[in-house]
Amino acid sequence: MTADEAGYLRDESRRTGRAERIVFAADEGDVRRALDEARLNDWPVTMQGARTGISAGAVPEGGLILNLSRMKHIGSVADRRITVQPGALLSEINAEVAPQGLFFPPDPTETSASIGGMIACNASGALSYHYGPTRRWIRSARVMLAGGETLTLRRGEQWAQGNRFALKTDSGSVIEGALPALKMPLVKHAAGYYVQSDMDLLDLFIGMEGTLGVITEAELDLLPIPSVRQALTAFFPTEAGALAFVRFLRDDGECALPMAPVAIEFFDADALDLLRRAQKETPAFFHLPTLPASCAAAIYVELHGGDAAALDPTVLVIAGALPSFGASDNTCWFAEQPPVLDRLKTFRHATPEVVNLLIDERRKTCPDLTKLGTDMAVPDAAMERILARYHGDLAAAGLESVIFGHIGDNHVHVNILPRTQAEYDRGKALYREWAGIVTALGGSVSAEHGIGKIKVALLEVQYGAAGIDEMRKLKRLFDPDARLNRGNLFTR
Ligand SMILES: Cc1cc2nc3c(=O)[nH]c(=O)nc-3n(C[C@H](O)[C@H](O)[C@H](O)COP(=O)(O)OP(=O)(O)OC[C@H]3O[C@@H](n4cnc5c(N)ncnc54)[C@H](O)[C@@H]3O)c2cc1C
């Protein structure tokens, strides 16, 4: 590795790894040659897309880095579908299809993510409240296995029989085996392999975090861009008021809205304070809208519709309801046109970015620090209970934090912001304790970011040692030497 290539030893988790060599594949032939080279040298192989992942999935632990960012061909649209290479970025795909009035709905807010990384992690984001995760929008995929064979997986064509499966490779050999017996939580979930009895086998490769093969191509489903996109950010004097407002928004019984929300996002008081500081101190955030002086929480709601006449009343119904939750419709921000809406979205996306900058600053005095960012989802009934638990534990441990994220899916990111190693250790212990509570409530230890290398211990909390062992056996069917993305999901 040259000094210029050192940046490829890390991703947005800020963890740094090590590698012998990096290959920038331009096509499937390059991918196969890189895998051959790794086999000859007995090296592990770590795949990289755009390295925006925050679980260190793309951080190498020795061996060869297989970087897919130059495989970025985007085909033409046919029947609202498009075929892309894995290095194509979400922003590039959407820019390509927008002139035809189409968009790719999954939105991990980080538009510089690559489609290969999004499929590998089953990425979600704010809009998955309505549109679901990446999985729902993948029609087919080509996957190269560690030995160089390829699989072409088309939705609806290859099925498991109960928990048994037999997959034919493109050269005609058959890989047979059993799916792990894992109980999938009934919440947003991206932790470990996705398995179901009688499942479509394409789904096994979505969310596998590069541990089963290299995604070399995918066909995506697209949707017409909604002709109306509007949003509202409301500020609440109490967090309880904000949470009651969330229930109002998503509970059909209480709220007969003409148009259903597509995203419901949450900011706690600490997240709003951090953004307020960034607005004053960090030039990159000077352009953010000015926040009200004091508030305990904010909720961002986005609405998509095809009929402007039907949508306007929705925003007004929502704004009109705010006083019953202690909020004022005078202080909320409306976005009635996409340019203003993009500004509100930038505000939402700024939260994790400001956190990352803060941690980079703290690493100057304590280099081993990283952000401790949770990614856990709980069932509906547990939303208020888990938030109260997070706040109580953080206060008792004396830890600085911000809480924000996808409250519509009962999925918030608690970002613990340690200043010292001792605080980091306290935060890590809390994170582990919460994983036990969340799984006992029927939740997931990772709803969208994946397990990567950072959350391996949490996957064991979710599925136990026996479940991990079954996943390991599944991996060995596709990757007998455990060469691909070693260290992701579980240790060897
Ligand atoms: C500020 C910020 C906000 C974010 N918000 C969200 C959010 O709201 N929701 C969300 O889901 N994510 C979010 N993310 C995380 C990240 O954007 C997603 O996980 C994204 O899917 C990663 O894509 P990537 O191309 O950067 O993948 P990388 O980071 O390069 O890789 C991610 C994983 O995929 C594997 N991989 C990459 N390409 C391939 C391939 N072709 N074949 C097989 N395996 C491969 C890698 O080995 C690694 O394990 C956020 C990130 C940032 C920085």
Side-chain angles (χ1 to χ4, degrees), residues 11-14 45-59 66 68 86-89 107-126 134 188 205 208-211 213-217 265 348-353 356 371 375 404 406 411 413 447-450 452-453 485 488:
D11 66 7
E12 278 294 320
S13 68
R14 277 24 186 191
V45 177
T46 303
M47 282 144 253
Q48 294 185 336
R51 292 181 296 116
T52 70
I54 31 199
S55 308
V59 176
L66 177 52
L68 286 308
L89 305 184
D107 172 25
T109 74
E110 182 56 65
T111 59
S112 64
S114 75
I115 191 68
M118 286 179 65
I119 297 172
C121 296
N122 190 29
S124 288
T134 300
K188 191 171 163 188
F205 294 83
M208 49 86 180
E209 298 195 42
T211 58
V214 189
I215 298 153
T216 57
E217 192 178 88
E265 297 283 303
R348 157 67 182 84
H349 188 56
T351 318
E353 287 185 328
N356 286 347
K371 158 179 102 174
D375 178 35
F404 63 95
H406 319 303
H411 167 212
H413 301 299
E448 64 180 8
H449 294 160
K453 299 182 179 71
N485 273 6
N488 281 10

Side-chain angles (χ1 to χ4, degrees), residues 213 249 295:
L249 288 173
C295 44

Side-chain angles (χ1 to χ4, degrees), residues 59-249:
V59 176
E61 290 186 343
L64 186 142
I65 299 174
L66 177 52
N67 186 294
L68 286 308
S69 61
R70 294 186 191 163
M71 278 178 77
K72 50 173 45 256
H73 178 73
I74 301 177
S76 337
V77 177
D79 292 336
R80 279 203 210 156
R81 292 192 184 142
I82 192 162
T83 300
V84 295
Q85 285 189 328
L89 305 184
L90 177 61
S91 56
E92 293 168 342
I93 295 168
N94 276 327
E96 184 70 25
V97 301
Q100 291 158 78
L102 297 168
F103 80 118
F104 181 62
D107 172 25
T109 74
E110 182 56 65
T111 59
S112 64
S114 75
I115 191 68
M118 286 179 65
I119 297 172
C121 296
N122 190 29
S124 288
L127 296 183
S128 65
Y129 174 67
H130 177 73
Y131 294 106
T134 300
R135 175 185 311 288
R136 196 189 283 178
W137 302 94
I138 304 304
R139 183 60 30 196
S140 70
R142 262 175 80 75
V143 177
M144 188 171 288
L145 304 180
E149 290 217 75
T150 51
L151 293 169
T152 304
L153 299 138
R154 291 197 188 84
R155 191 160 292 291
E157 289 189 0
Q158 296 105 321
W159 299 90
Q161 305 291 321
N163 78 332
R164 302 286 312 173
F165 69 89
L167 255 182
K168 215 181 213 179
T169 67
D170 293 334
S171 67
S173 57
V174 177
I175 299 170
E176 274 185 273
L179 298 169
L182 305 174
K183 190 163 175 267
M184 300 283 110
L186 299 175
V187 296
K188 191 171 163 188
H189 180 56
Y193 299 131
Y194 175 87
V195 286
Q196 297 283 358
S197 195
D198 300 318
M199 70 186 283
D200 188 322
L201 291 166
L202 169 61
D203 285 325
L204 189 57
F205 294 83
I206 302 173
M208 49 86 180
E209 298 195 42
T211 58
L212 302 181
V214 189
I215 298 153
T216 57
E217 192 178 88
E219 189 186 15
L220 318 178
D221 280 326
L222 304 168
L223 267 191
I225 298 173
S227 51
V228 177
R229 289 187 296 143
Q230 299 188 339
L232 175 144
T233 303
F235 300 93
F236 296 82
T238 65
E239 189 169 291
L243 297 182
F245 179 66
V246 171
R247 289 216 174 268
F248 160 80
L249 288 173

